[in-house]
Amino acid sequence: MKFTCLSKDLSGLMAFSPIPTSLDALLFEESNNNEKRHKIEDLLDAKSLIFAEPWYKTVNNLHLWNASLIDVILISSPMGIMGLPFLTRRKGLSAKIYVTEASARLGQLMMEDLVSMHAEFRQFYGPEESNFPPWLRQEELEILPSVLKDILLGKDGVESGGWTPMYSAADVKDCILKIDTVNYAQEVCYNGTLVIKAFSCGVEIGSCNWILDGPKGDIAYLSSSCFFSAHTMTFDYRSLQGTSSLIYSDFSSLSDAQDIEDGDNNSDPTSDTLLPLSFQDMDESSLNSDENLEEKEKLVFICSCAIECVKDGGSVLIPINRLGTILQLLEEMTTSLEASAMEVPIYIISSVAEELLALLNIIPEWLCKQRQERLFAGEPLFAHVKLQKEKKIHVVPNIHSHQLLMNWQEPCIVFCPHWSLRIGPVVHLLRRWCGDPKSLLILEDIVNPELALLPFKPVAMKVLQCLFPSGIGLQKVQPLLKTLQPKTVMFPEDLRLKTSFSCEKSFSVSYYTEAEPLKVSCQKDSSELKIAADLASQFYWKTFKKEGINVTRLKGNLLMENGRHHLLLDNNKKTSESNSSLVRCGLADYNKLLPALSEMGINASIEIVKDDVESQNVCLVHTKEPYKALIEIGNTSTVITTADANVASILYKAIDNILDGV
Amino acid sequence: MAIETLVLGAGQEVGKSCVVVNINGKRIMFDCGMHMGYTDHRRFPDFSLISPSGNFNDALSCIIITHFHLDHVGALVYFTEVCGYRGPVYMTYPTKALSPLMLEDFRKMVDRRGEEEQFTSEHIAECMKKVIAVDLKQTVQVDEDLQIRAYYAGHVIGAAMFYVKVGDAEMVYTGDYNMTPDRHLGAAQIDRLRLDLLITESTYATTIRDSKYAREREFLKAVHKCVSGGGKVLIPTFALGRAQELCILLDDYWERMNLKVPIYFSSGLTIQANMYYKMLISWTSQKIKDTYSTHSAFDFKNVHKFDKSIIDAPGPCVLFATPGMIRGGLSLEVFKHWAPSEKNLVTLPGYCVVGTVGHKLTSGKPTKIDTDPDTQIDVRCQIHQLAFSPHTDSKGIMDLVKFLSPKHVMLVHGEKPKMASLKERIHSELGIPCYTPANNETVSIPSTHYVNAEASDTFIRNCLNPNFTFQKCNSVDTCNSTLIDRNLTPELQVEDERVVDGVLVMENNKKAKIVQRDELLLMLDEKKHEV
């Protein structure tokens, strides 16, 4: 089995300029006409961004892959599906694509939104002139500032092959038609041999970890997982217990470690590594409530900042990043507003917002316990249903929709895509408010805010950055693995230095890197096989004196079902005719052969000859009455020589009887 | 190995569904219903047969409830709160959401009638806390050996058929199901499984139904005719299920025909139920699911809340009143007011139990009905009976049995003579042994058992080699047959029979291992002896 991770993200968008406004248009003209652009190291300004219809970055050299050789594609989150149309629009792809139902539906909306936002670029720049964009040419890349060059080419400068033009709405539709959706803990069987199951991982609605179970052992794939969630079903780590191999694929701690700003909330990580506890030993509720409390505090803080801001007459702009955070922020924001008796309109501007909010209220099966309790109590799953009815939040498809223009009021609070600050309604609103020192921009989890805000410089508006935990967290890796008890763990090379496993660990660890195959031997050298009881009852056992081994011949129909081999009774007469022994072993003892032959009425005499070549004894048996034949008995073979085929078969049976045959 | 089935309810009858199955040492109770026809001890299943000592926690591994109808869930609260069962209870999300409504409604009715109360509101709440909600197709590991899985059953929202596997023994209990989609629900759906036992409902064991479309049109025509003549339409239904289905139908018709006549829902329960339906849209039919974002099918445009003060208000209207079958409550009260006018219409959807006003109306054409010893009502209104049923017909049952091809079939939830005739059909047409036990009877059937062994790689690889056999058809035969036939039987037939030939080795104190013949010699440390 070969695993390839198809992770991709949209941070590459940052290298591009947002759609130029009429003011910027001059700039754009300039940048296009200026033939003598020079490389000005470390002097990054809005002009250095690429003024072209953006392309998107996928797995490096995706175009070089033979799509028809992929058997199965597993998508672990709604975000994770966004690159899928790049693959499904290629010819020859016949892979089975498994996605959780919720991921597929949310992912579809996100893709549709992206396509519609991207359309703005297409309108502006017109159709592309060539298949190869000018900004990817070597000479153009040379003069780019290093930050942008890193984005375009990757840190190693080899990733230019990962760029691909945007997919169309038709590609998205086609992609959705090609996927198979699953529920959490639903068993799907690929080709009879591999049973695949998804389990909730607690990060986003529909996001999951996987278990692959085949006849040769099972593998758990652990993606970003979160122990606490106020919206989606929590991390179901119990179901991942006891798999033989585990692929650790939570990369969130990569950025985590850089952001341990305040050490007070985390105990010394080294003390944890010395004492790896399993979760059974820990008080689970306290483990979760810590994170819960922390998250809640952050939300309250953000909302208090926002309310301060609107009190001052400024507006608040919240680019939509992770859905879970946005939903909680929306609920927290409206309660805070109510508490402070403020009447400030909240707008949600997105082409899919209406459908998205409607969808969220009909998927109780995918949500956390507290939300499910609301279903059982007959209340809406999220507060936005009520808020929409009360007209406290306004949901509009785009910035120039009639409904928005009629209701527009400032100051206000706006939720809109896209977090890259390059496409979508956020660009227009940012341009409107970036010069206003009273307004506030709330950025969630952005690696390079400097670059993100570059096109809008100078930025006078306040910027609040926040980070919500979205992964397992380094301190919890050890206790988690101790609980899951895998035999082998595959870890990302990038995390090698950040995790040190204590020597008492019960599993072996190997490290994988991008684009390099890692060979891991499978745990079992044999497969399980189930024999039907009716077949087993027909076995004819033979005991070998030596070693106390019982042996029987096996015959039946082999069936592969749900990743297990079954052997069923074969009722077909045709195939069960031949009855001769498969294999014989032992020595043909001539002392036994003579009485056996004489019982059949055959007289025979023995002659022992020394074989010169192999220096061993060969026994020749001559039979005269009633048939004439010569039987040559060696240590490993017996040869019957006779003129009559019938005689041969009679003698054959006699010898067969004295040998240990199966 | 055997599967033992103890039928505690719905054996050769409809009501108080409850079957306890002992499968490889695990005991599972399917449904825990009450009988609506009795008020004495016969109302509940005889739980003492499960455990004479009353220790149900050790006697049962889990309880599975298929849907929220009282004849399937009605005794659950009694069993967990009064009898003291503390183990896990499984049901689907909608069943968990809607069962308390049904149970509470029942409790209130018992209260009103002044009967002895079997459980309280607090009991219902406590019981529901013990319930574990499951999603469709999710494989739930109840314990190490016991797996259960729910499949969509149609019938009512959240209804499920349950698959159970313990070791190598597998079975399905259907609960009630519908093999044809209706206005708001899809048809039952299940995977092809290898079952030892299928326990299926058989309400309509001998009925074959025609298209639903004609019956729907007939219903709409009758309602339309009545309201355009200024009459009032009374539709006595239960709050959940049929009310939503008919309301979707009417609301849609009102839109198309641009009718302005008000449609009322009598009880808060129905309106409350609509809240649930809106969140549970993914459990409804595909058509409703597709339109959730633009318009939720349970946001009825023409439906209003009914107030008792407008019973005698002039002008036409349509009223959905609870309870069904005109068993009492508002539907009976309204009936008393509306029945004497020939302009009005009473539409009775579905089956009416003997003894109810609804049953009297559907059997014969009475002109006078005694609702109680002192009251007699003149019945001059029109009566329309709707032959809608959310149960599968006999063709559906046969289709399901044929599709699943289990080793044994057991019929429950049906009438004895009809069950006998279906049993005969299953036996003769499908060649599957079939049982129809009565209440408190136990049936034992053998179950599949596999012997586990390890198979070596060489053996498996050898088995995977294709083993083609080619057969030439006699061309003389095909010459005489028609063209179509010739297309069906190709001249060359290829068979790929993978029949395995190997050796099974049992060594003392070791697991049985299957090897290919060459490997055997290595194991035995012997040399091959060719002849």
Side-chain angles (χ1 to χ4, degrees):
Chain A
M1 213 180 305
K2 198 176 150 187
F3 282 97
T4 308
C5 182
L6 291 171
S7 71
K8 52 204 81 157
D9 67 323
L10 295 168
S11 56
L13 262 178
M14 296 253 192
F16 294 87
S17 166
I19 295 197
T21 57
S22 52
L23 242 169
D24 293 343
L26 258 171
L27 243 163
F28 161 63
E29 292 286 307
E30 203 181 309
S31 74
N32 259 7
N33 298 336
N34 191 354
E35 300 282 324
K36 288 170 210 151
R37 276 167 75 196
H38 293 294
K39 185 173 180 174
I40 314 158
E41 190 65 51
D42 293 331
L43 216 146
L44 195 63
D45 62 14
K47 275 189 259 178
S48 8
L49 294 172
I50 303 162
F51 286 82
E53 181 186 332
W55 278 27
Y56 294 79
K57 208 172 180 182
T58 71
V59 178
N60 197 24
N61 294 330
L62 185 70
H63 61 288
L64 296 180
W65 291 16
N66 185 348
S68 59
L69 294 182
I70 307 172
D71 290 322
V72 178
I73 298 174
L74 302 178
I75 306 274
S76 302
S77 70
M79 287 282 194
I81 205 173
M82 294 192 72
L84 190 61
F86 294 126
L87 200 57
T88 52
R89 71 179 173 186
R90 292 181 44 191
K91 281 201 181 76
L93 183 82
S94 58
K96 272 274 184 195
I97 306 167
Y98 296 110
V99 192
T100 62
E101 164 115 37
S103 285
R105 292 172 85 174
L106 290 171
Q108 180 180 8
L109 291 178
M110 285 156 73
M111 289 192 282
E112 283 167 3
D113 198 28
L114 187 66
V115 168
S116 90
M117 289 189 288
H118 184 91
E120 238 182 313
F121 280 106
R122 223 159 251 183
Q123 255 172 20
F124 185 82
Y125 291 110
E128 272 181 293
E129 282 143 28
S130 71
N131 290 334
F132 193 79
W135 49 268
L136 258 184
R137 282 193 209 121
Q138 198 56 39
E139 62 270 25
E140 290 286 323
L141 290 172
E142 284 307 318
I143 59 165
L144 277 179
S146 58
V147 182
L148 296 185
K149 207 167 147 188
D150 278 355
I151 291 177
L152 290 187
L153 298 178
K155 285 260 181 313
D156 307 325
V158 292
E159 289 175 20
S160 63
W163 290 92
T164 168
M166 188 56 189
Y167 43 75
S168 66
D171 290 332
V172 174
K173 229 181 216 159
D174 183 52
C175 163
I176 293 297
L177 287 176
K178 282 183 181 150
I179 61 177
D180 282 304
T181 58
V182 296
N183 288 341
Y184 285 143
Q186 179 182 346
E187 286 180 0
V188 284
C189 191
Y190 172 74
N191 207 9
T193 53
L194 197 61
V195 177
I196 301 171
K197 277 184 278 187
F199 293 103
S200 60
C201 71
V203 172
E204 282 284 13
I205 295 170
S207 61
C208 65
N209 298 315
W210 298 93
I211 283 190
L212 306 149
D213 192 4
K216 285 276 177 154
D218 47 0
I219 301 158
Y221 176 85
L222 186 64
S223 59
S224 255
S225 300
C226 218
F227 288 98
F228 168 79
S229 172
H231 64 296
T232 182
M233 189 174 273
T234 43
F235 180 19
D236 179 6
Y237 58 85
R238 283 189 188 85
S239 298
L240 305 180
Q241 253 165 354
T243 54
S244 56
S245 325
L246 184 138
I247 303 173
Y248 187 92
S249 181
D250 184 346
F251 289 87
S252 58
S253 36
L254 259 183
S255 52
D256 244 26
Q258 295 154 5
D259 289 290
I260 300 181
E261 341 87 283
D262 36 4
D264 58 335
N265 53 359
N266 299 328
S267 55
D268 187 6
T270 48
S271 67
D272 270 332
T273 43
L274 285 173
L275 262 174
L277 296 160
S278 76
F279 286 136
Q280 275 88 6
D281 310 331
M282 283 195 200
D283 182 7
E284 205 176 302
S285 57
S286 77
L287 181 107
N288 293 342
S289 65
D290 271 3
E291 273 183 48
N292 181 9
L293 221 64
E294 203 184 315
E295 191 173 64
K296 185 85 180 167
E297 268 170 22
K298 279 184 191 171
L299 287 169
V300 171
F301 175 71
I302 295 169
C303 291
S304 68
C305 291
I307 284 172
E308 280 304 304
C309 166
V310 285
K311 267 186 186 157
D312 271 1
S315 290
V316 183
L317 181 59
I318 307 165
I320 296 175
N321 190 349
R322 281 169 47 202
L323 190 58
T325 317
I326 293 303
L327 289 169
Q328 280 169 264
L329 210 48
L330 190 63
E331 286 185 343
E332 191 62 47
M333 197 75 88
T334 43
T335 16
S336 305
L337 279 175
E338 246 165 63
S340 59
M342 300 269 294
E343 288 274 334
V344 181
I346 297 179
Y347 302 101
I348 303 176
I349 310 170
S350 153
S351 62
V352 296
E354 175 116 44
E355 202 172 335
L356 183 68
L357 293 179
L359 173 66
L360 288 169
N361 206 43
I362 61 164
I363 47 172
E365 302 85 6
W366 302 89
L367 304 180
C368 63
K369 276 256 147 50
Q370 302 94 292
R371 304 270 172 196
Q372 288 186 353
E373 283 308 320
R374 294 192 183 187
L375 162 75
F376 301 132
E379 295 160 21
L381 306 172
F382 287 95
H384 62 245
V385 180
K386 194 168 141 258
L387 296 170
Q388 262 176 290
K389 251 187 209 147
E390 291 169 350
K391 297 252 182 288
K392 286 198 173 134
I393 54 175
H394 306 272
V395 182
V396 293
N398 52 48
I399 200 127
H400 39 76
S401 78
H402 182 70
Q403 205 196 336
L404 183 68
L405 298 174
M406 295 302 289
N407 285 316
W408 184 253
Q409 223 182 303
E410 278 181 67
C412 58
I413 299 169
V414 179
F415 291 84
C416 64
H418 182 268
W419 56 267
S420 67
L421 309 187
R422 293 297 182 269
I423 52 173
V426 72
V427 174
H428 305 277
L429 292 169
L430 205 48
R431 286 213 168 99
R432 182 181 178 89
W433 290 328
C434 67
D436 176 12
K438 283 187 287 180
S439 291
L440 173 69
L441 173 70
I442 297 171
L443 289 180
E444 188 202 336
D445 195 17
I446 279 192
V447 183
N448 190 345
E450 191 70 15
L451 178 65
L453 287 168
L454 189 66
F456 308 98
K457 284 199 161 165
V459 178
M461 84 189 289
K462 286 170 278 186
V463 180
L464 177 67
Q465 270 200 82
C466 56
L467 183 75
F468 289 93
S470 64
I472 292 166
L474 286 176
Q475 320 91 312
K476 286 188 189 142
V477 175
Q478 287 260 13
L480 177 64
L481 291 178
K482 182 141 196 224
T483 310
L484 299 186
Q485 294 179 311
K487 293 192 183 65
T488 328
V489 177
M490 284 144 263
F491 238 72
E493 180 64 45
D494 299 341
L495 285 177
R496 188 198 277 264
L497 295 174
K498 295 201 169 141
T499 49
S500 52
F501 294 104
S502 53
C503 31
E504 56 161 312
K505 67 182 187 326
S506 55
F507 47 84
S508 62
V509 182
S510 44
Y511 295 90
Y512 62 89
T513 41
E514 196 180 326
E516 258 177 57
L518 172 72
K519 272 208 172 161
V520 180
S521 60
C522 52
Q523 302 292 313
K524 296 187 219 161
D525 55 356
S526 60
S527 323
E528 282 280 294
L529 191 143
K530 295 179 153 213
I531 304 165
D534 46 1
L535 176 65
S537 64
Q538 291 184 358
F539 285 157
Y540 174 68
W541 291 96
K542 208 157 193 178
T543 313
F544 281 72
K545 280 150 237 153
K546 227 199 292 181
E547 299 167 66
I549 294 178
N550 288 320
V551 172
T552 183
R553 175 112 177 252
L554 207 56
K555 217 164 192 198
N557 274 331
L558 187 71
L559 176 83
M560 186 73 176
E561 201 177 53
N562 284 327
R564 291 281 173 273
H565 296 286
H566 297 255
L567 197 63
L568 304 178
L569 187 65
D570 176 31
N571 288 321
N572 195 341
K573 283 273 157 0
K574 237 187 342 187
T575 46
S576 46
E577 270 164 9
S578 60
N579 268 323
S580 71
S581 303
L582 265 184
V583 62
R584 290 160 211 87
C585 53
L587 279 174
D589 190 346
Y590 48 84
N591 293 324
K592 277 187 197 160
L593 181 61
L594 282 189
L597 287 176
S598 65
E599 244 173 64
M600 297 165 86
I602 302 168
N603 291 323
S605 63
I606 296 174
E607 179 190 340
I608 299 193
V609 184
K610 189 134 178 139
D611 192 318
D612 295 331
V613 188
E614 290 168 49
S615 67
Q616 56 177 201
N617 290 331
V618 172
C619 171
L620 296 178
V621 179
H622 300 274
T623 65
K624 283 172 191 137
E625 289 295 324
Y627 320 111
K628 206 168 181 181
L630 172 70
I631 306 169
E632 221 175 307
I633 303 174
N635 278 350
T636 60
S637 67
T638 300
V639 180
I640 305 167
T641 317
T642 176
D644 189 347
N646 277 334
V647 178
S649 75
I650 290 166
L651 292 175
Y652 175 88
K653 266 182 200 151
I655 297 164
D656 195 26
N657 280 338
I658 61 160
L659 281 167
D660 289 330
V662 177
Chain B
M1 295 282 164
I3 300 177
E4 257 175 42
T5 311
L6 166 64
V7 177
L8 289 182
Q12 301 177 356
E13 64 165 359
V14 177
K16 64 164 176 184
S17 286
C18 186
V19 173
V20 178
V21 177
N22 189 341
I23 167 170
N24 279 352
K26 303 283 168 188
R27 270 177 113 190
I28 301 140
M29 180 190 281
F30 291 100
D31 283 337
C32 191
M34 67 162 70
H35 202 297
M36 303 303 287
Y38 302 114
T39 50
D40 54 9
H41 70 279
R42 286 171 298 174
R43 165 175 283 169
F44 291 144
D46 183 1
F47 295 123
S48 66
L49 292 175
I50 303 169
S51 163
S53 66
N55 183 357
F56 300 116
N57 295 326
D58 293 336
L60 290 178
S61 307
C62 70
I63 296 180
I64 292 171
I65 303 290
T66 56
H67 63 283
F68 62 67
H69 279 157
L70 287 176
D71 62 332
H72 293 260
V73 72
L76 181 67
V77 178
Y78 177 79
F79 191 56
T80 62
E81 303 312 307
V82 182
C83 300
Y85 171 75
R86 296 272 172 279
V89 180
Y90 293 91
M91 49 177 90
T92 62
Y93 282 92
T95 309
K96 182 175 177 183
L98 296 168
S99 290
L101 269 68
M102 296 295 279
L103 290 162
E104 187 57 35
D105 198 40
F106 169 76
R107 196 195 58 77
K108 278 187 197 153
M109 193 187 78
V110 169
D111 216 28
R112 269 198 306 271
R113 290 206 296 228
E115 288 166 25
E116 192 198 346
E117 204 172 58
Q118 260 99 10
F119 48 82
T120 62
S121 292
E122 291 74 49
H123 281 154
I124 299 174
E126 277 306 306
C127 170
M128 284 300 144
K129 279 185 196 159
K130 300 188 177 95
V131 173
I132 302 164
V134 299
D135 201 354
L136 292 176
K137 295 195 175 171
Q138 191 185 336
T139 305
V140 180
Q141 207 78 42
V142 176
D143 58 37
E144 213 173 301
D145 310 305
L146 172 58
Q147 269 185 5
I148 63 169
R149 194 184 300 153
Y151 287 99
Y152 195 76
H155 187 61
V156 289
I157 198 160
M161 309 194 249
F162 274 89
Y163 160 83
V164 169
K165 180 177 176 174
V166 183
D168 298 317
E170 298 168 54
M171 63 163 296
V172 162
Y173 175 85
T174 64
D176 296 353
Y177 61 102
N178 193 356
M179 295 292 276
T180 46
D182 72 15
R183 277 283 149 177
H184 73 308
L185 298 174
Q189 252 182 334
I190 194 161
D191 293 333
R192 214 176 270 279
L193 301 158
R194 247 167 228 287
L195 301 178
D196 296 303
L197 175 64
L198 171 71
I199 303 179
T200 173
E201 67 132 320
S202 50
T203 322
Y204 290 92
T206 53
T207 319
I208 292 183
R209 277 197 301 268
D210 54 352
S211 116
K212 196 161 182 170
Y213 179 69
R215 277 174 286 140
E216 282 183 356
R217 211 173 36 183
E218 202 183 302
F219 162 72
L220 291 169
K221 244 167 75 184
V223 172
H224 194 175
K225 196 177 140 213
C226 173
V227 292
S228 56
K232 296 181 195 310
V233 183
L234 172 65
I235 309 175
T237 64
F238 292 102
L240 302 172
R242 186 51 49 78
Q244 280 74 23
E245 187 195 353
L246 293 180
C247 206
I248 289 174
L249 192 63
L250 280 182
D251 201 54
D252 193 47
Y253 187 73
W254 255 230
E255 281 300 291
R256 273 188 289 132
M257 306 302 282
N258 202 20
L259 293 176
K260 292 287 175 261
V261 176
I263 301 174
Y264 294 111
F265 268 163
S266 75
S267 73
L269 186 58
T270 318
I271 288 158
Q272 204 186 339
N274 286 347
M275 263 314 276
Y276 286 97
Y277 272 79
K278 274 187 222 168
M279 285 186 274
L280 295 167
I281 275 189
S282 50
W283 297 74
T284 59
S285 70
Q286 195 57 46
K287 198 180 156 208
I288 293 179
K289 273 191 261 181
D290 290 343
T291 56
Y292 74 91
S293 60
T294 46
H295 165 66
S296 175
F298 300 100
D299 269 331
F300 301 114
K301 290 196 192 89
N302 303 290
V303 174
H304 312 279
K305 200 170 167 357
F306 186 74
D307 189 272
K308 274 187 192 173
S309 63
I310 53 174
I311 290 185
D312 292 320
C317 69
V318 178
L319 170 66
F320 285 90
T322 53
M325 312 181 203
I326 323 189
R327 225 175 34 196
L330 187 79
S331 59
L332 181 63
E333 198 181 331
V334 174
F335 176 74
K336 287 179 191 167
H337 284 259
W338 293 2
S341 165
E342 58 277 329
K343 275 202 293 185
N344 295 343
L345 170 73
V346 174
T347 298
L348 292 160
Y351 184 75
C352 290
V353 166
V354 183
T356 59
V357 176
H359 184 259
K360 286 177 198 158
L361 291 175
T362 50
S363 47
K365 278 202 183 297
T367 51
K368 288 189 193 318
I369 282 182
D370 303 316
T371 52
D372 55 73
D374 314 319
T375 334
Q376 192 180 50
I377 301 165
D378 290 325
V379 181
R380 288 193 212 94
C381 64
Q382 310 290 312
I383 308 291
H384 180 257
Q385 202 190 356
L386 258 175
F388 282 15
S389 174
H391 289 275
T392 177
D393 62 1
S394 73
K395 186 179 174 298
I397 300 173
M398 289 300 281
D399 285 348
L400 184 79
V401 173
K402 203 169 160 186
F403 175 78
L404 289 171
S405 293
K407 296 206 180 86
H408 306 267
V409 176
M410 186 178 295
L411 302 179
V412 291
H413 200 284
E415 292 160 40
K416 197 176 172 185
K418 292 180 183 169
M419 285 165 100
S421 100
L422 183 64
K423 173 186 172 176
E424 179 48 37
R425 273 188 73 196
I426 290 173
H427 190 80
S428 60
E429 287 176 32
L430 305 173
I432 300 172
C434 182
Y435 313 85
T436 56
N439 280 351
N440 303 340
E441 275 181 15
T442 303
V443 175
S444 185
I445 60 139
S447 68
T448 310
H449 181 64
Y450 289 107
V451 182
N452 279 329
E454 274 177 18
S456 76
D457 282 354
T458 336
F459 170 74
I460 297 286
R461 228 175 298 129
N462 247 291
C463 298
L464 295 179
N465 288 339
N467 175 22
F468 293 117
T469 48
F470 297 89
Q471 274 181 314
K472 273 236 156 90
C473 270
N474 197 337
S475 51
V476 183
D477 286 347
T478 47
C479 278
N480 301 333
S481 57
T482 62
L483 191 73
I484 304 155
D485 269 11
R486 204 179 308 177
N487 288 340
L488 284 174
T489 43
E491 297 222 341
L492 184 70
Q493 287 187 330
V494 184
E495 274 179 56
D496 183 11
E497 281 263 345
R498 313 251 173 122
V499 180
V500 174
D501 244 335
V503 181
L504 181 69
V505 183
M506 286 267 268
E507 218 170 318
N508 287 345
N509 308 322
K510 272 193 184 173
K511 208 170 171 190
K513 192 171 168 77
I514 297 165
V515 292
Q516 224 255 325
R517 54 185 161 187
D518 297 337
E519 288 175 302
L520 176 69
L521 300 166
L522 276 173
M523 281 185 76
L524 296 174
D525 203 16
E526 296 249 14
K527 283 179 184 152
K528 192 171 171 178
H529 200 108
E530 279 175 60
V531 181

